[in-house]
Amino acid sequence: MEWVYIEDLSDYIGRKVEVRGWLYNKRSSGKIRFFLLRDGTGILQGTVYSPDKEHPLFKVYDELTQESSLILRGEIREDKRAAGGYEMTIDDIEVLQIAEEYPITPKEHGTPFLMDHRHLWLRSQKQHAVLQIRTELVRAIRDFFDGRGFRLMDTPILTPSACEGTTTLFETEYFDQKAYLSQSGQLYNEATAMAFGKVYCFGPTFRAEKSKTRKHLIEFWMVEPEVAFAELADIKRLGEDLIIYIIERVLENSQPELDILERDTRLLEKIKKPFPQITYEEAIRLLNEKGNTMQFGDDFGAPEETLLSELHDSPVCVTHFPAKIKAFYMQPDELRPDLVLGLDILASEGYGEIIGGGQRIHDLALLEEKIKEHKLPREAYEWYIDLRKFGSVPHSGFGMGVERMLSWLCKIKHIRETLPFPRLLYRIYP
Ligand code: 4AD
Ligand code: MG
């Protein structure tokens, strides 16, 4: 008998098939026993009907506990009333394992308990829905860049130098040298962009950040495009196009999961480009008007980001930050050299920064000066400096955090639910 997945059952109406999965729930009503089976792609209701109380499958029914693994065999029927729209008339049940008492019950559990049981919590409907949307999000990101002729460049995870400041580096041994886990593939992509024109990398990045917020992970995934000859305005448009493309794809393909999460998608549907653009200084003025006391030279914290990202229905672009609070590689503004051509895109609905990037320094002398100013070890950046010696051009790029984007799309409160096994401050189990 053919083994099929629940999501494919529409092709098997009237046929006898085998479905393999785990018992999600069961109930009985008179002469009928209902088995709700989940196989990762959906939930199927299987039924056994018999006037005989001693029917052998009724015995199996009595023994089965939640999450027991089993194989159901029987005929598929269309049934509008059943979850998923199909039902199986069960002929045979093969039990693989009777599960022990399952620790996650419909009652409320505390977060520490759920995080300790993350390996099981993943099976719950809402967690499952978030990660299903994650796969759609990742697919959309790849399709967006591949469809626009970007070349995928896998940048290294073990690196000899810092990209985003030296305070959040994870250090490890590299034989007789020191190495750091990558904070960003950007510096390498500035090299690959000069070889391929437009590139992106997409992989895990690491920050030894002592921030315990709803938005910070220690290990997160970032997609980073880098484009030779692009300036700030070009990269802003690319960021907008990417966000709009992702939203359209997720609305199109993930509606059932968004429904499970009770995500009100009306605000997402309304988002249009161009996104409003304000400078850092304008942002401060707006914040001060709202009673926030932030001053020039301060970085946005969570309260500031939340305030700013509630100003509009669509995401907001913030540009022209003080050089002091940004990374060494950022291109200064021509007229205001104390400001840099950085770009942050803040998601709406209070979600804050999802994209960070901007235009990079292309002038050799200026870059050398900045490396000195930031007290970075020049030897480690020799190759990066080289790029300004051999056909240097203006270039720009950004990084989008997958988990930040997903939190917003799903409108979930805490970023920990956006990865199967999140790495959080002081938590590395399971
Ligand atoms: O703003 P960030 O630090 O920028 C960079 O790393 C640049 N080198 C990227 C580039 O220009 N190629 O990080 C970019 C994005 C943020 O906007 C955010 O979405 C995400 O990465 N991010 C985090 N996500 C989860 N947890 C953290 N600790 C994050 N730090 C950054
Ligand atoms: Mg940033």
Side-chain angles (χ1 to χ4, degrees):
M1 205 175 284
E2 194 177 348
W3 165 30
V4 298
Y5 284 97
I6 293 168
E7 67 180 353
D8 301 325
L9 284 178
S10 58
D11 299 334
Y12 293 87
I13 296 160
R15 285 171 58 186
K16 293 206 173 200
V17 297
E18 177 175 300
V19 177
R20 304 176 182 182
W22 298 264
L23 190 74
Y24 183 68
N25 210 344
K26 62 176 187 179
R27 64 194 166 85
S28 68
S29 157
K31 294 167 186 153
I32 313 183
R33 301 290 178 274
F34 297 95
F35 300 76
L36 281 168
L37 189 81
R38 53 163 203 90
D39 75 345
T41 74
I43 293 174
L44 171 68
Q45 176 166 283
T47 58
V48 176
Y49 168 85
S50 174
D52 174 11
K53 278 197 204 119
E54 303 299 313
H55 192 286
L57 291 183
F58 283 16
K59 256 229 196 75
V60 174
Y61 173 91
D62 291 337
E63 283 169 6
L64 283 177
T65 52
Q66 186 185 351
E67 292 305 316
S68 290
S69 43
L70 55 144
I71 298 174
L72 297 182
R73 299 189 182 93
E75 186 175 319
I76 300 301
R77 288 180 288 109
E78 208 163 3
D79 190 331
K80 295 267 178 308
R81 293 161 306 168
Y86 306 97
E87 233 182 37
M88 176 189 270
T89 308
I90 299 173
D91 296 331
D92 172 39
I93 299 177
E94 185 180 329
V95 177
L96 280 81
Q97 195 231 354
I98 300 283
E100 293 180 20
E101 197 181 336
Y102 195 58
I104 300 179
T105 57
K107 73 161 198 210
E108 286 277 317
H109 296 287
T111 304
F113 177 87
L114 289 171
M115 288 305 294
D116 283 340
H117 292 84
R118 183 64 180 164
H119 50 296
L120 301 176
W121 190 24
L122 295 172
R123 304 178 187 192
S124 303
Q125 219 188 7
K126 285 198 171 164
Q127 299 306 310
H128 190 269
V130 172
L131 295 175
Q132 283 273 101
I133 297 174
R134 183 183 173 102
T135 72
E136 181 59 29
L137 165 60
V138 170
R139 235 192 328 251
I141 290 170
R142 292 199 180 280
D143 288 347
F144 176 84
F145 287 111
D146 294 343
R148 288 179 169 227
F150 279 71
R151 285 5 183 208
L152 173 68
M153 294 289 138
D154 298 311
T155 52
I157 288 173
L158 289 167
T159 64
S161 51
C163 178
E164 294 301 317
T166 49
T167 54
T168 62
L169 282 174
F170 269 109
E171 194 178 307
T172 181
E173 278 168 31
Y174 196 79
F175 307 105
D176 58 345
Q177 298 178 54
K178 263 188 208 164
Y180 308 101
L181 298 184
S182 174
Q183 299 167 307
S184 159
Q186 178 198 321
L187 303 188
Y188 291 102
N189 265 350
E190 290 182 53
T192 61
M194 301 307 144
F196 296 86
K198 45 185 175 178
V199 298
Y200 74 102
C201 63
F202 195 177
T205 48
F206 306 84
R207 306 274 168 102
E209 222 162 346
K210 292 247 163 85
S211 319
K212 201 171 179 174
T213 74
R214 303 182 285 117
K215 297 181 187 174
H216 284 87
L217 289 162
I218 303 301
E219 178 179 326
F220 62 96
W221 281 65
M222 184 154 59
V223 61
E224 298 180 82
E226 191 71 31
V227 184
F229 299 99
E231 298 181 11
L232 184 66
D234 302 307
I235 215 72
K236 175 193 180 245
R237 275 195 297 275
L238 185 69
E240 287 168 346
D241 287 350
L242 172 64
I243 291 171
I244 299 239
Y245 181 84
I246 289 171
I247 290 174
E248 280 172 1
R249 278 279 297 263
V250 167
L251 288 176
E252 195 177 311
N253 296 333
S254 300
Q255 200 56 56
E257 288 80 17
L258 292 167
D259 289 344
I260 288 170
L261 298 171
E262 295 167 39
R263 172 60 157 124
D264 180 351
T265 54
R266 277 171 301 182
L267 283 172
L268 292 177
E269 284 156 24
K270 270 202 257 172
I271 293 175
K272 278 192 201 72
K273 56 183 188 186
F275 300 163
Q277 182 174 349
I278 54 174
T279 64
Y280 169 88
E281 286 171 316
E282 283 163 353
I284 290 195
R285 222 173 305 132
L286 287 168
L287 287 166
N288 292 162
E289 274 167 25
K290 299 230 175 269
N292 184 289
T293 56
M294 180 171 164
Q295 289 174 9
F296 185 89
D298 295 342
D299 210 347
F300 299 131
E304 288 77 30
E305 279 191 15
T306 304
L307 262 174
L308 288 172
S309 70
E310 280 169 346
L311 289 180
H312 299 272
D313 281 348
S314 76
V316 178
C317 300
V318 186
T319 60
H320 297 80
F321 297 86
K324 275 205 191 73
I325 61 166
K326 287 288 182 187
F328 74 96
Y329 52 70
M330 291 219 180
Q331 172 71 24
D333 184 71
E334 240 177 331
L335 303 172
R336 286 279 307 273
D338 61 322
L339 303 180
V340 288
L341 304 181
L343 164 78
D344 278 6
I345 302 185
L346 312 181
S348 48
E349 301 177 71
Y351 273 80
E353 183 188 334
I354 45 173
I355 279 183
Q359 190 171 329
R360 330 301 191 185
I361 292 174
H362 58 275
D363 181 72
L364 174 62
L366 182 58
L367 182 65
E368 288 175 320
E369 192 186 309
K370 291 285 176 189
I371 286 178
K372 221 181 264 165
E373 214 177 283
H374 284 254
K375 299 196 172 60
L376 296 167
R378 187 184 160 116
E379 325 77 73
Y381 295 87
E382 227 35 271
W383 66 270
Y384 183 69
I385 294 168
D386 251 4
L387 301 173
R388 277 71 184 173
K389 296 180 187 166
F390 304 102
S392 191
V393 298
H395 58 287
S396 305
F398 63 75
M400 187 187 80
V402 168
E403 294 77 13
R404 294 269 181 94
M405 184 72 193
L406 187 58
S407 292
W408 173 45
L409 287 172
C410 298
K411 206 166 179 175
I412 49 179
K413 289 211 177 69
H414 201 294
I415 200 164
R416 66 183 158 232
E417 295 177 29
T418 59
L419 270 169
F421 294 98
R423 305 289 86 151
L424 301 162
L425 189 59
Y426 306 128
R427 175 179 277 281
I428 197 168
Y429 177 90

